[in-house]
Amino acid sequence: MGSSVTTEDLKAFHSMDRELFKRLVVNSRRDLVIYMQAIAFWIYLEEIGYPNIVQKLLRLNDVVVNNILDEAIYCLCCLQSVTPLVPVVYISDLPFTHEVMGEEAKGLSAVCRDRISALTRINQTVNQAFSRAFTDIMEQVVGRNSAQ
């Protein structure tokens, strides 16, 4: 992202992502970076042909979203592992994600085959976009948690 992109531009562009991030962190005790990585993972999936994941997640109840979040964290662990936990992510390991993505989810194992590209894109999204677009939300959560 060039320096000409303002934080307000990023917030506007990532408005749905911000909404989902807020929802995830409301009653959270997990590291906020995990949520950013999960959303960046879903955006990466959208970029490679799995449409409207974030938009679909916004329409689901919190229990289902948290189950899909757990599956995204599982996928991220597989991608980040030097020795992948499994050679491919089998869709049977991701029942909630499969339910949301439908038939398109069958090719999800391709993400693991292209793990370096996936990790690069996920990290770029977190470091170049979310670190700026989500700052105000993170400050609110950290302030709220330290006040408790």
Side-chain angles (χ1 to χ4, degrees):
M1 304 239 151
S3 60
S4 63
V5 177
T6 69
T7 299
E8 292 309 312
D9 291 339
L10 283 172
K11 286 179 180 180
F13 183 78
H14 289 286
S15 62
M16 282 195 307
D17 308 320
R18 285 173 49 82
E19 184 179 342
L20 183 57
F21 184 69
K22 282 181 201 175
R23 239 178 100 187
L24 291 172
V25 301
V26 162
N27 294 311
S28 163
R29 296 293 176 226
R30 290 183 181 170
D31 182 352
L32 298 179
V33 174
I34 295 292
Y35 297 111
M36 288 192 285
Q37 290 173 333
I39 295 170
F41 172 71
W42 293 323
I43 289 171
Y44 173 75
L45 292 179
E46 288 178 303
E47 290 172 354
I48 64 169
Y50 301 100
N52 307 317
I53 296 170
V54 172
Q55 186 177 32
K56 290 174 185 176
L57 291 173
L58 286 170
R59 292 190 303 250
L60 298 172
N61 71 51
D62 288 344
V63 172
V64 175
V65 171
N66 281 309
N67 286 327
I68 294 169
L69 171 67
D70 289 339
E71 292 177 355
I73 292 169
Y74 169 76
C75 289
L76 287 164
C77 287
C78 290
L79 290 171
Q80 294 167 344
S81 176
V82 174
T83 306
L85 302 176
V86 292
V88 292
V89 174
Y90 295 100
I91 201 57
S92 61
D93 297 334
L94 309 171
F96 295 99
T97 302
H98 182 249
E99 185 67 30
V100 169
M101 294 173 66
E103 290 302 311
E104 291 131 354
K106 290 186 178 182
L108 196 53
S109 61
V111 174
C112 288
R113 287 193 297 270
D114 198 13
R115 67 185 277 279
I116 300 300
S117 175
L119 285 172
T120 299
R121 188 67 187 110
I122 289 164
N123 289 331
Q124 284 175 337
T125 301
V126 169
N127 295 328
Q128 295 175 5
F130 291 174
S131 64
R132 289 174 54 203
F134 293 2
T135 301
D136 58 327
I137 301 167
M138 290 186 292
E139 288 171 354
Q140 289 173 1
V141 170
V142 170
R144 181 196 69 215
N145 289 348
S146 54
Q148 292 178 353

